[in-house]
Amino acid sequence: GAGVSQSPSNKVTEKGKDVELRCDPISGHTALYWYRQSLGQGLEFLIYFQGNSAPDKSGLPSDRFSAERTGGSVSTLTIQRTQQEDSAVYLCASSLAGQKETQYFGPGTRLLVL
Amino acid sequence: AQSVTQLGSHVSVSEGALVLLRCNYSSSVPPYLFWYVQYPNQGLQLLLKYTTGATLVKGINGFEAEFKKSETSFHLTKPSAHMSDAAEYFCAVSDQVQFYFGTGTSLTVIP
């Protein structure tokens, strides 16, 4: 597709279980970002990948959160031992190298932890 | 440190009326400023951005914003609201390393 895609679009899980969220960036975009959008709050930066460089993990809220990007394309955000406060919309964005100011966002994954 | 404040979590305007969504920022470096729009069940779409140069920037769908350094503001305006403008609007600032988003303003357009 032409845009950033994310899957699943919705995820309901039980507290304590692990979840994996997937992001497919726009082809050719070397930069990839994960954000969390909680109810009534703005977007919270989680992690940033740029090419083969070490990711910027400064936004990850706890060690239960991790992300990887395989082959410089698809990325997976993993949340271990989910908590109710992890319920949010998780947005992925991608951009061309050197054009970080123009990020293209996916539709998000809505995560509900019961 | 960078931060963004959007005044008014909900704004209602009549169709055809002026739209004004307020955004103030704090930045320790020359900021890059952005407005994004999010329609229901969709991702964020870039409306406009300011990086350098002219302080009045024009975006898509008739929106524009003016960077006022003295007021640390980047308010979004549109002369005449359309029903299709109803959405959530996010202001963001970037220090060229990370993006910092405001909490969003939900715009309702009344017919």
Side-chain angles (χ1 to χ4, degrees):
Chain A
V4 177
S5 61
Q6 293 185 245
S7 61
S9 55
N10 293 281
K11 176 72 176 178
V12 181
T13 190
E14 294 179 347
K15 177 182 173 181
K17 294 197 172 179
D18 299 350
V19 295
E20 286 190 352
L21 312 180
R22 176 187 170 105
C23 172
D24 282 88
I26 293 173
S27 178
H29 282 194
T30 57
L32 187 147
Y33 317 78
W34 282 98
Y35 296 89
R36 178 168 68 176
Q37 184 179 21
S38 301
L39 187 64
Q41 300 188 29
L43 275 73
E44 175 188 6
F45 167 78
L46 297 177
I47 189 169
Y48 162 57
F49 296 90
Q50 173 56 61
N52 296 321
S53 302
D56 176 355
K57 302 180 181 180
S58 60
L60 294 178
S62 78
D63 59 7
R64 296 186 294 105
F65 288 72
S66 63
E68 63 178 23
R69 190 178 184 191
T70 54
S73 179
V74 172
S75 176
T76 302
L77 176 69
T78 301
I79 308 173
Q80 295 178 312
R81 305 180 302 283
T82 53
Q83 303 295 311
Q84 289 182 334
E85 59 263 30
D86 298 334
S87 297
V89 177
Y90 290 83
L91 289 167
C92 175
S94 70
S95 71
L96 290 167
Q99 293 189 22
K100 193 175 182 178
E101 71 276 7
T102 303
Q103 299 186 22
Y104 295 85
F105 283 81
T109 293
R110 286 157 185 76
L111 175 66
L112 176 61
V113 181
L114 300 177
Chain B
Q2 279 61 242
S3 68
V4 174
T5 301
Q6 290 184 241
L7 297 176
S9 57
H10 298 276
V11 171
S12 294
V13 299
S14 297
E15 189 175 15
L18 171 71
V19 176
L20 170 61
L21 305 183
R22 299 179 185 275
C23 173
N24 289 87
Y25 70 89
S26 170
S27 179
S28 56
V29 299
Y32 286 5
L33 295 160
F34 308 82
W35 275 99
Y36 285 86
V37 60
Q38 185 178 32
Y39 297 103
N41 299 316
Q42 295 187 28
L44 275 73
Q45 179 182 2
L46 180 65
L47 268 180
L48 48 79
K49 63 182 179 182
Y50 168 81
T51 54
T52 59
T55 56
L56 180 64
V57 293
K58 296 184 184 299
I60 62 172
N61 302 337
F63 284 92
E64 61 182 38
E66 186 171 11
F67 169 52
K68 293 187 176 180
K69 185 178 179 179
S70 61
E71 298 177 8
T72 61
S73 69
F74 191 58
H75 301 330
L76 181 71
T77 60
K78 181 175 180 177
S80 177
H82 192 274
M83 295 299 295
S84 61
D85 295 328
E88 188 90 11
Y89 292 80
F90 292 90
C91 181
V93 62
S94 171
D95 57 5
Q96 303 182 45
V97 176
Q98 286 189 22
F99 272 67
Y100 302 84
F101 285 83
T103 53
T105 297
S106 177
L107 176 66
T108 299
V109 181
I110 303 168

